[in-house]
Amino acid sequence: MNVLQLKRFNLSVNVNEYPVKILDDITLSINKGKINTIIGESGCGKSLLCKSILKLLPVDSEYSGAILFNHHDKEYNLLADIDLQQVRGKIVSLLFQNPSSSLNPVLKCGSQIIDILPHNKKASKSSKIEFALDLLNEVSFQNPMEIFHKYPHELSGGEKQRFALALAIGCKPSLLIADEPLSSLDIDLKHNFIELIYKLKKIRKMTLLWVTHDLDFAQKFSDNVFVMYCGNIVESGTVQDVFENPSHPYTQALLNSFQSLKKDRPESIRGNISSFQNLPKGCNFYPRCDYKKSICTDTSPEYSEVSHGHIVKCYVQEK
Amino acid sequence: MIKLITKIWKNKNGKFGLIIISVILFFSIFAPILTSFNPTMQNLNIVLQKPSFSHVLGTDYYGRDLFTRILYGSRVSLSISIIASAISVLFGTLIGVISGLSGKYTDNILMRIVDIMLGFPKFFILILVISMGSFSIFNTIIVLSLFSWMDTARLTRTETLLLNNTTFIKAAKAMGMNKLQIIFHHIIPNISGIVISSYSLLTGSMIILESGISFLGLGVQPPNASWGSILNEARLDPLGGWWVMLFAGIAIVTTVIGFNLLGDGLKEILQPEHYQDD
């Protein structure tokens, strides 16, 4: 069952009074209870896509298309402000990349947790504190009371990230979007953090949407993979589909360079990523593509299905 | 509160400011206990006496004890400036936060109003308004605060704009907090340091403004004292009774220095831990 659906979502951001298209024709659907991963190189619009789902857009941005969310047989339109207020934090939650900047520096951790409680809940103070301590315990803090009275800058990097996770899952969301949560952690903490999220996902029956550029992680831990390039989702499907039978030239090149890292001679993808101000007219990838056809320079390809659920946005694969 | 005071104590500027202001507040609150003289009672037998043991700071032209008059004068000057700057800082913060958060037209309109208000020569407007109506502490407070909120508004607007782009405000939005919650839980605590220190600095400049008005005879009317009006009376014979002018001047200068030092100290202490953008 689909929980989140993006239909032909476009986003342009104003740069120097001039609209620049960042997300182009994003269509994706996310299944309930699965771990979904978005991979792609830096600056391809992954983070912006995550923020757009909760409509945390830059000022003066323009969008079109639809973002729909299903929860308990009710459909929410995430681009409408009325639905959005009900969904943000309570049904869909976002974990940010850098935990030290996503926590308010002047408030104690305890009061930050109490703030996220649904505000119509007029609970007593002791029950609120109990809730906060339970939550801190759940993200495996050994001494929740101590964390409760600390300021964010007194926590270590790993503790900050776990605390940010506690805030994100505080209202029991059914979808957790994690925007590269591992990028600021070292290897050991990374593994602890992944285990923790796994555990929480099982207990709370959450759906996960990860953003990462760590292909290793994507291959090992996810169920579905979306490959992004220059604001497009170029390929999507299950892990097996994408990693064993890559169909888009970009995915092939990406996996090739990923495999080559394990050997002696690393290979990179030929050419440079196009800048958003200056995108090619047709397919965004054609300047770097080895299989380009004449049609690629003129029009952008449509989504086509390679096998069931394995979708690719390329002319090369069309029969 | 105790934590804040210990922090101020560790800061050099803050420590001096705090000492000066505490001493002055102590003197002004306990004025009736500290002196046995009446501030308005004239005694023409002891006109213009130099500082001595019976009159610590001497007497003025009407034989009133100068020490007593400065103490009672501080009550007027301090209460006007403390209350007026509190009102203007609160109002300025309100305008600044609204302006910074709303953006577009509201922001533009509010900031143009601030520009216009800043264009008025404050002191002359004050004189005009006060001379049109009759003097009362209430009127002075209103007029002083009406023309002093603009700097705070600009300051808090800039801070709000900066804060609004930080990740933790975005995170708060993503957690479903509404605008009011974001203002009270995230923006106000983060700008409170700047607001408090600008309050202290503004109080200092309010004291000068208030003394200026009283000096021109538009403030507290005789026989009641205010630091400005004591200075004005000293004008009659500046060399004959130099101590009148000197001590009233010292009172004003020390208080202003005290508030400025405290403001500077608070500015350093209350700076929030560095927050960054992503």
Side-chain angles (χ1 to χ4, degrees):
Chain A
M1 195 184 114
N2 289 335
V3 274
L4 178 72
Q5 267 186 305
L6 271 78
K7 286 179 183 162
R8 304 221 165 268
F9 183 72
N10 294 293
L11 177 75
S12 15
V13 175
N14 269 356
V15 179
N16 301 333
E17 311 278 313
Y18 186 76
V20 174
K21 199 169 193 177
I22 307 279
L23 297 180
D24 182 17
D25 200 19
I26 301 274
T27 299
L28 62 85
S29 55
I30 282 171
N31 289 337
K32 196 174 178 176
K34 291 277 164 53
I35 299 180
N36 303 275
T37 313
I38 300 179
I39 54 178
E41 47 200 294
S42 312
C44 69
K46 302 187 298 277
S47 293
L48 204 57
L49 175 61
C50 289
K51 286 178 187 158
S52 329
I53 293 171
L54 284 175
K55 209 179 169 186
L56 295 167
L57 301 171
V59 200
D60 292 344
S61 50
E62 284 167 24
Y63 53 86
S64 64
I67 301 179
L68 302 171
F69 191 82
N70 266 312
H71 183 63
H72 293 320
D73 298 325
K74 188 174 180 235
E75 191 161 76
Y76 296 93
N77 176 9
L78 295 193
L79 292 175
D81 287 338
I82 306 164
D83 284 4
L84 196 68
Q85 269 307 324
Q86 300 171 17
V87 168
R88 273 183 179 175
K90 291 149 200 123
I91 302 176
V92 181
S93 186
L94 180 55
L95 181 60
F96 282 84
Q97 186 168 5
N98 188 352
S100 43
S101 64
S102 66
L103 301 172
N104 190 339
V106 298
L107 290 185
K108 283 188 179 165
C109 294
S111 62
Q112 296 202 36
I113 288 198
I114 287 172
D115 284 351
I116 59 154
L117 283 170
H119 61 135
N120 51 2
K121 202 163 137 192
K122 286 196 175 69
S124 66
K125 206 182 171 193
S126 62
S127 74
K128 278 180 179 172
I129 292 175
E130 204 176 309
F131 169 87
L133 295 181
D134 281 351
L135 195 59
L136 287 173
N137 214 356
E138 210 168 345
V139 291
S140 63
F141 277 115
Q142 302 299 333
N143 40 4
M145 207 60 207
E146 202 174 295
I147 303 293
F148 192 86
H149 290 293
K150 274 185 175 174
Y151 284 99
H153 65 88
E154 294 171 313
L155 305 181
S156 72
E159 285 176 328
K160 269 183 205 163
Q161 189 61 285
R162 272 187 286 151
F163 181 70
L165 177 66
L167 289 182
I169 62 165
C171 296
K172 299 196 164 54
S174 73
L175 171 66
L176 176 67
I177 305 168
D179 183 2
E180 298 192 42
L182 304 175
S183 59
S184 59
L185 303 176
D186 60 47
I187 293 278
D188 190 35
L189 288 173
K190 248 183 208 178
H191 281 278
N192 289 342
F193 194 73
I194 292 169
E195 267 171 33
L196 177 66
I197 286 211
Y198 246 69
K199 198 181 81 191
L200 286 171
K201 178 194 165 285
K202 265 187 193 155
I203 297 170
R204 302 206 162 192
K205 297 187 176 62
M206 282 191 295
T207 312
L208 282 178
L209 178 60
W210 279 93
V211 171
T212 184
H213 43 227
D214 185 347
L215 293 182
D216 232 358
F217 168 81
Q219 192 172 11
K220 273 181 199 153
F221 293 101
S222 49
D223 300 315
N224 294 319
V225 178
F226 301 91
V227 185
M228 269 188 95
Y229 180 80
C230 267
N232 279 309
I233 293 217
V234 291
E235 185 165 357
S236 63
T238 60
V239 178
Q240 289 80 15
D241 285 344
V242 175
F243 278 87
E244 281 158 26
N245 182 21
S247 303
H248 194 280
Y250 173 66
T251 321
Q252 289 166 3
L254 189 69
L255 290 178
N256 190 29
S257 76
F258 172 56
Q259 300 297 345
S260 73
L261 268 180
K262 294 180 176 168
K263 296 172 201 155
D264 296 341
R265 285 183 48 206
E267 282 171 36
S268 58
I269 306 174
R270 188 169 54 80
N272 289 321
I273 189 165
S274 321
S275 101
F276 278 110
Q277 269 101 334
N278 201 0
L279 283 181
K281 196 179 156 213
C283 170
N284 286 342
F285 189 62
Y286 95 84
R288 302 170 79 179
C289 185
D290 291 332
Y291 309 98
K292 58 186 165 225
K293 299 177 183 172
S294 58
I295 188 172
C296 297
T297 55
D298 294 334
T299 48
S300 192
E302 276 296 313
Y303 293 103
S304 57
E305 208 163 29
V306 183
S307 58
H308 179 70
H310 186 187
I311 293 164
V312 68
K313 194 177 187 183
C314 184
Y315 285 118
V316 179
Q317 292 300 324
E318 276 178 10
K319 285 158 190 135
Chain B
M1 193 65 195
I2 295 164
K3 234 180 175 178
L4 183 68
I5 290 172
T6 39
K7 266 189 182 171
I8 295 173
W9 199 255
K10 280 179 194 156
N11 183 293
K12 216 175 179 182
N13 287 344
K15 187 175 169 180
F16 280 112
L18 190 66
I19 293 173
I20 294 171
I21 287 165
S22 321
V23 169
I24 287 166
L25 280 181
F26 174 80
F27 274 116
S28 106
I29 290 168
F30 295 106
I33 302 169
L34 291 167
T35 164
S36 52
F37 296 100
N38 184 322
T40 51
M41 182 106 104
Q42 304 184 359
N43 184 352
L44 296 179
N45 293 328
I46 48 165
V47 174
L48 275 184
Q49 287 200 342
K50 282 190 177 168
S52 63
F53 283 111
S54 52
H55 299 282
V56 188
L57 300 183
T59 56
D60 68 358
Y61 302 88
Y62 301 99
R64 295 170 296 200
D65 181 50
L66 187 61
F67 182 62
T68 314
R69 280 185 66 77
I70 287 180
L71 288 197
Y72 280 89
S74 73
R75 290 183 150 193
V76 177
S77 300
L78 285 178
S79 57
I80 287 181
S81 51
I82 286 175
I83 296 171
S85 49
I87 294 174
S88 54
V89 162
L90 283 180
F91 187 65
T93 311
L94 182 76
I95 297 289
V97 171
I98 291 175
S99 175
L101 276 186
S102 51
K104 288 185 183 170
Y105 300 113
T106 325
D107 183 24
N108 241 324
I109 290 169
L110 287 175
M111 283 303 114
R112 293 302 79 76
I113 292 175
V114 167
D115 288 344
I116 292 167
M117 295 293 285
L118 280 172
F120 284 119
K122 184 154 66 174
F123 199 71
F124 297 105
I125 294 271
L126 279 173
I127 294 172
L128 184 73
V129 173
I130 292 173
S131 59
M132 280 195 317
S134 61
F135 169 84
S136 72
I137 289 185
F138 179 75
N139 283 351
T140 319
I141 287 174
I142 294 297
V143 175
L144 277 175
S145 39
L146 255 181
F147 287 93
S148 311
W149 55 271
M150 293 81 73
D151 289 331
T152 322
R154 278 193 164 175
L155 204 64
T156 46
R157 172 181 172 267
T158 327
E159 278 310 300
T160 311
L161 282 178
L162 280 176
L163 280 171
N164 207 15
N165 275 330
T166 53
T167 317
F168 66 87
I169 299 275
K170 276 186 195 146
K173 281 180 193 160
M175 281 162 207
M177 285 191 165
N178 57 34
K179 262 203 167 140
L180 276 180
Q181 279 176 309
I182 287 176
I183 291 177
F184 286 110
H185 291 292
H186 291 295
I187 290 178
I188 302 271
N190 271 295
I191 60 174
S192 60
I194 300 164
V195 172
I196 291 172
S197 64
S198 76
Y199 168 69
S200 185
L201 295 172
L202 190 63
T203 312
S205 64
M206 284 285 191
I207 288 172
I208 294 180
L209 263 183
E210 195 278 333
S211 318
I213 294 166
S214 304
F215 180 78
L216 294 175
L218 295 164
V220 183
Q221 295 304 311
N224 290 321
S226 141
W227 289 342
S229 61
I230 297 173
L231 272 183
N232 185 25
E233 286 160 10
R235 200 171 44 97
L236 295 174
D237 185 6
L239 293 177
W242 52 266
W243 53 89
V244 181
M245 189 173 270
L246 181 72
F247 292 124
I250 286 178
I252 294 173
V253 171
T254 346
T255 316
V256 174
I257 287 179
F259 275 111
N260 284 353
L261 285 178
L262 185 67
D264 282 342
L266 284 169
K267 206 190 268 174
E268 284 168 28
I269 293 161
L270 296 172
Q271 195 73 253
E273 289 295 313
H274 186 66
Y275 42 75
Q276 72 229 64
D277 239 349
D278 67 347

